Amino acid sequence: DVQTGDVRWTHTEDGVIAAAPHLAGDVLFVGSLRKRVFALDAATGTVRWQTEIGGRVKTAPLVAGGYLVVMAEPRQVYLFGPPVSDAIVDASAVDSLAAR
């Protein structure tokens, strides 16, 4: 609790967590050196989901535009979220955004 300093909950991972977690709304996203990404309920610490990925996570996950972005070794980027719309994938739309 940021007001009292009391610990609300803890979560123990069986692998090293080398990067800061990312809080987005009521979910805390964490990556580990055991090649896992997981989402914890911010209020309770309960694991909402977890998944194995192909590389170790050494940087903080990022939530932007409704997507979770995770960078992992070696030179991998993972995107979690709803399906990408045609408007986002359309090259002309990307070009027009870049021109701004």
Side-chain angles (χ1 to χ4, degrees):
D1 184 306
V2 295
Q3 301 302 319
T4 66
D6 293 336
V7 175
R8 290 193 175 195
W9 54 263
T10 62
H11 173 83
T12 302
E13 172 64 14
D14 62 351
V16 174
I17 298 172
H22 182 86
L23 181 63
D26 62 348
V27 182
L28 186 68
F29 295 101
V30 182
S32 77
L33 295 184
R34 290 194 54 133
K35 302 178 182 179
R36 273 198 296 224
V37 175
F38 49 100
L40 303 175
D41 185 285
T44 66
T46 303
V47 177
R48 289 189 177 184
W49 59 262
Q50 64 181 355
T51 189
E52 300 272 334
I53 60 173
R56 300 181 329 159
V57 180
K58 291 181 155 182
T59 61
L62 170 68
V63 174
Y67 295 93
L68 171 64
V69 181
V70 178
M71 293 181 290
E73 292 180 332
R75 301 180 305 271
Q76 297 171 329
V77 177
Y78 293 85
L79 180 71
F80 300 89
V84 178
S85 73
D86 291 340
I88 294 173
V89 176
D90 181 9
S92 63
V94 173
D95 290 342
S96 68
L97 289 173
R100 293 182 190 176

